[in-house]
Amino acid sequence: MAAFGSVFMPKMVLATFDNGQWSDASLVASDSIQLHPGAHVLHYSSTCFEGLKAFRHADGSVHVFRMDQNVKRLAQSSRLLSLPNVDEAQVSQMILDAVAEFATEVPEPPGSLYVRPTHIGTEAAVGKAAAPALSSMLYILLSPVGDYFTGGAKALRLLLDETGMRCAPHMGMIKSGGNYASALGPISKAKQEVQADQILFCPNGDVQETGAANFLLIDGNEIITKGLDSTFLHGVTRSSILTLATDLGMTVTERDLTVAELLERSAKPEVEAVLSGTAAVLTSVGTFIHNDKEYKVGSGEPGPIAYKLRQALNDIQWGKAEDKYNWLTKVC
């Protein structure tokens, strides 16, 4: 298939907020929107989004994974960005309606239909740098995607950055485009200078997240990951993996982790490090780059526990295992 997220369904579901209320949602062409050049989003980055997936099961039915959590996070991001409050029930129905419209286009596993709810400030007012947009637009964009690991899973190279941050601390738990943009420069530099795939941001030695994923360290039967706070994104995949790890009898420890401890633990042959996110589910890390030195993580290759956890999650998403947490919402 084409590159992940580069092909879109021809229509999307859209609603607008104006004069203090949301419009009814409608199905519209997805190749364009009407936006004034002075729109708040274009000047003051009043934008947030989500990423979730719909999966086809063996019986032909289509199910959306953990929609409730993504809708709640979109509502939270909207509030924290001072965008108009979203109607969570309306957004949920918009997602279901959009997926239902293109249910026949949902690929077979390991493919899926990637769902991108997006909320932007539309008020034309370039003088409102210190004031929120009073009007907005919310739409549900769909993209059929294949297996993220088109060339096979490989362990990533991460640069450990103790001086920078992915974004401003109070913005970390908001899924906003500006946070990704602020990390692009350092990541591009790391790719060019040390051939890193990503940066693991560790301000003042505090291990946090990469430019686009949460980080977890697997040491034997224990998973260690930073406890939730406002400085980094509260990943839905992260939450799902930690729940499944507990089911498998693993110990989940949410606490601060220093770079020094990370490098010490990663030297053990059985240790694994992974990134979690909607697109790749779990991606193994094979090398840390720190102060011009390279440190192999465990064996340096994708590990068995990461594979086991990823498979456990995929089995639920694909309808091969019991959905005992009611993570799936059936569309049709």
Side-chain angles (χ1 to χ4, degrees):
M1 296 184 70
F4 191 98
S6 64
V7 174
F8 300 97
M9 291 293 95
K11 293 184 179 180
M12 63 182 180
V13 177
L14 180 147
T16 58
F17 184 89
D18 201 11
N19 296 320
Q21 63 182 6
W22 283 99
S23 70
D24 292 335
S26 58
L27 191 67
V28 301
S30 61
D31 60 353
S32 66
I33 56 175
Q34 284 192 322
L35 199 62
H36 192 283
H40 200 273
V41 62
L42 300 178
H43 299 267
Y44 306 119
S45 298
S46 51
T47 170
C48 57
F49 63 92
E50 280 298 321
L52 61 158
K53 289 178 176 176
F55 297 90
R56 180 176 302 284
H57 289 185
D59 63 1
S61 61
V62 172
H63 304 253
V64 181
F65 183 72
R66 302 207 74 176
M67 179 179 69
D68 60 331
Q69 294 303 302
N70 288 98
V71 171
K72 286 179 181 178
R73 194 170 63 180
L74 181 71
Q76 173 181 270
S77 294
S78 297
R79 287 193 302 271
L80 294 175
L81 288 172
S82 298
L83 280 163
N85 288 332
V86 303
D87 181 333
E88 294 185 29
Q90 182 185 31
V91 177
S92 298
Q93 191 60 53
M94 289 171 67
I95 292 171
L96 295 177
D97 289 346
V99 174
E101 180 70 20
F102 294 100
T104 58
E105 303 296 325
V106 179
E108 299 284 345
S112 61
L113 188 64
Y114 187 75
V115 184
R116 176 54 68 94
T118 304
H119 188 194
I120 62 174
T122 56
E123 183 181 2
V126 296
K128 299 189 73 172
L134 296 180
S135 62
S136 68
M137 176 187 300
L138 196 155
Y139 54 86
I140 313 297
L141 200 59
L142 303 177
S143 176
V145 295
D147 187 353
Y148 194 79
F149 299 108
T150 53
K154 70 179 184 70
L156 302 180
R157 292 166 53 85
L158 294 190
L159 174 65
L160 306 183
D161 184 351
E162 296 188 65
T163 60
M165 297 189 72
R166 175 176 178 259
C167 60
H170 69 283
M171 291 287 288
M173 63 191 292
I174 304 172
K175 195 168 179 68
S176 180
N179 290 351
Y180 293 83
S182 69
L184 278 178
I187 293 171
S188 298
K189 182 179 179 182
K191 288 181 177 180
Q192 181 178 12
E193 295 184 352
V194 296
Q195 293 72 57
D197 294 294
Q198 259 288 355
I199 289 179
L200 179 55
F201 292 97
C202 312
N204 300 314
D206 177 36
V207 177
Q208 295 188 348
E209 63 181 340
T210 69
N214 292 134
F215 176 80
L216 303 92
L217 184 70
I218 305 171
D219 189 349
N221 198 49
E222 182 182 20
I223 290 186
I224 304 170
T225 187
K226 185 174 176 62
L228 297 178
D229 63 26
S230 64
T231 64
F232 72 105
L233 193 65
H234 301 179
V236 176
T237 303
R238 171 192 180 277
S239 169
S240 305
I241 290 297
L242 295 184
T243 297
L244 294 176
T246 301
D247 279 353
L248 294 172
M250 298 185 70
T251 299
V252 173
T253 304
E254 298 183 73
R255 64 169 175 83
D256 289 346
L257 177 67
T258 66
V259 168
E261 181 183 359
L262 175 63
L263 293 177
E264 180 181 353
R265 285 180 179 266
S266 65
K268 301 177 186 179
E270 74 280 4
V271 163
E272 300 177 40
V274 294
L275 304 182
S276 68
T278 299
V281 187
L282 277 186
T283 307
S284 293
V285 177
T287 305
F288 290 133
I289 306 163
H290 184 248
N291 291 339
D292 299 322
K293 294 182 180 180
E294 295 192 5
Y295 298 83
K296 186 168 69 172
V297 181
S299 68
E301 300 295 330
I305 299 178
Y307 176 83
K308 185 177 183 179
L309 289 168
R310 182 168 61 243
Q311 194 63 51
L313 185 57
N314 283 156
D315 283 348
I316 295 173
Q317 292 171 330
W318 299 343
K320 295 181 178 181
E322 178 189 1
D323 177 26
K324 65 180 183 180
Y325 291 104
N326 296 316
W327 286 345
L328 298 173
T329 301
K330 186 175 181 179
V331 179
C332 60

